[in-house]
């Protein structure tokens, strides 16, 4: 299990290869990549800057992974989240979950992403033709996390 | 002394990201600290107002308003998160 918060880009293929190597128990790997879009709330976005709370960020993501391990069989998990200034088409976040079978891998990957969106201390500021603006939290993200509580 | 951190929109609105302060007399909880900070002036009153949707953490764990505070704590105030 590992969590990385970094400015540099990541290579999903290299990360999956590293996770798979030497672990013959892994039968399924699910992954998610979040990407910067060029439009948000109707305005074009030229760049986006991600701020975070060093220390708490890593702790909160590790806690989310721990919770996923309590619910599903998770043989390994990796979360990489980028910070700093990004532009449209850049990768922002990577979640990879390895399990014995696909059901647990899919579910744990989605759970980790839904909880990360609502609990990990990151904030996005986007630059649009109107200037800089902090992105508002979305009700739909809260709802996505809520559904795991039932 | 406690350390107080402010992030994102809040950091910009208050003009500070981090400060150290002596836990004021009579302040023993997160709610009390927020009320104390709200008395500092216009921006503080607006941003720390009870109606504002703010989140907080004590020692890097999300904390509710009645969380007790002690000397040496790291307290953070921030808007709802928007990562991912």
């Amino acid at each position: 299990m590992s969590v990385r918060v970094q400015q540099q880009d990541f290579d999903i293929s290299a990360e999956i290869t590293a996770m798979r190597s030497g672990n013959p128990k892994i039968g399924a790997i699910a992954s998610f990549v979040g990407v910067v879009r060029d439009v948000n709330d109707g305005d074009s976005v030229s760049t986006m800057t991600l701020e975070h709370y060093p220390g708490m960020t890593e702790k909160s993501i590790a806690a989310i992974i721990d919770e996923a391990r309590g619910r599903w069989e998770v043989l390994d998990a990796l979360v990489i989240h980028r910070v700093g200034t990004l532009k449209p088409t850049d990768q922002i976040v990577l979640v990879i979950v390895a399990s014995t079978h696909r059901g647990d891998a899919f579910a744990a990957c989605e759970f980790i992403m839904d909880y990360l969106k609502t609990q990990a201390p990151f904030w996005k500021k986007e630059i649009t033709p109107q200037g800089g603006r902090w992105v508002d939290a979305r009700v739909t993200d809260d709802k996505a996390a809520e559904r795991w509580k039932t | 002394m406690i350390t107080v951190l402010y992030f994102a929109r809040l950091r910009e609105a208050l003009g500070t990201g981090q400060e150290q302060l002596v836990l004021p007399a009579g302040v023993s909880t997160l709610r009390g600290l927020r009320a104390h900070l709200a008395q500092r002036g216009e921006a503080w009153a607006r941003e720390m107002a009870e109606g504002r949707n703010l989140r907080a953490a004590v020692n890097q764990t999300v904390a509710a308003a009645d969380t007790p505070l002690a000397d040496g704590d790291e307290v953070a105030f921030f808007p709802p998160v928007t990562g991912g």
Side-chain angles (χ1 to χ4, degrees):
Chain A
M1 314 291 155
S2 58
V3 176
R4 281 184 250 153
V5 179
Q6 62 189 42
Q7 294 204 2
Q8 64 266 38
D9 201 6
F10 50 78
D11 177 347
I12 185 173
S13 179
E15 299 298 344
I16 289 177
T17 300
M19 187 177 287
R20 290 192 326 111
S21 70
N23 192 342
K25 295 194 181 345
I26 293 174
I29 291 177
S31 64
F32 172 85
V33 177
V35 179
V36 182
R37 285 176 295 124
D38 67 353
V39 170
N40 191 31
D41 291 334
D43 293 311
S44 65
V45 173
S46 55
T47 64
M48 166 182 289
T49 301
L50 276 136
E51 178 173 334
H52 77 122
Y53 181 175
M56 182 175 169
T57 312
E58 293 83 353
K59 277 173 65 175
S60 67
I61 297 172
I64 293 166
I65 293 174
D66 273 350
E67 184 156 356
R69 294 175 72 190
R71 292 174 178 233
W72 298 281
E73 182 195 51
V74 175
L75 295 175
D76 202 354
L78 167 69
V79 174
I80 300 178
H81 203 300
R82 295 179 70 191
V83 291
T85 299
L86 302 174
K87 61 184 189 310
T89 75
D90 282 350
Q91 305 184 107
I92 307 176
V93 60
L94 171 67
V95 179
I96 303 176
V97 175
S99 186
T100 311
H101 300 289
R102 71 182 182 283
D104 282 26
F106 275 134
C109 185
E110 191 170 21
F111 171 89
I112 289 169
M113 200 53 222
D114 283 346
Y115 267 56
L116 185 153
K117 295 273 301 185
T118 55
Q119 296 191 358
F122 293 98
W123 301 273
K124 288 182 184 134
K125 186 176 191 178
E126 53 193 19
I127 306 298
T128 72
Q130 286 78 41
R133 66 181 184 195
W134 290 98
V135 175
D136 284 326
R138 291 179 193 278
V139 174
T140 49
D141 288 334
D142 287 333
K143 288 192 170 145
E146 281 288 323
R147 73 204 156 99
W148 296 102
K149 291 183 176 161
T150 54
Chain B
M1 299 286 274
I2 61 170
T3 301
V4 188
L5 307 172
Y6 310 94
F7 289 97
R9 181 186 51 71
L10 195 61
R11 172 178 52 75
E12 287 188 348
L14 298 176
T16 183
Q18 174 169 358
E19 63 177 316
Q20 301 231 303
L21 55 91
V22 176
L23 203 55
V27 172
S28 59
T29 64
L30 203 49
R31 180 185 291 109
L33 178 62
R34 183 168 168 175
H36 172 81
L37 295 171
Q39 294 170 0
R40 283 178 163 179
E42 197 176 319
W44 293 84
R46 184 180 64 243
E47 298 298 331
M48 291 287 170
E50 279 188 36
R52 281 309 271 257
N53 190 6
L54 273 193
R55 306 292 159 87
V58 175
N59 298 323
Q60 303 189 351
T61 300
V62 170
D66 58 359
T67 302
L69 298 181
D71 200 42
D73 280 349
E74 177 178 300
V75 179
F77 291 100
F78 45 83
V81 303
T82 56

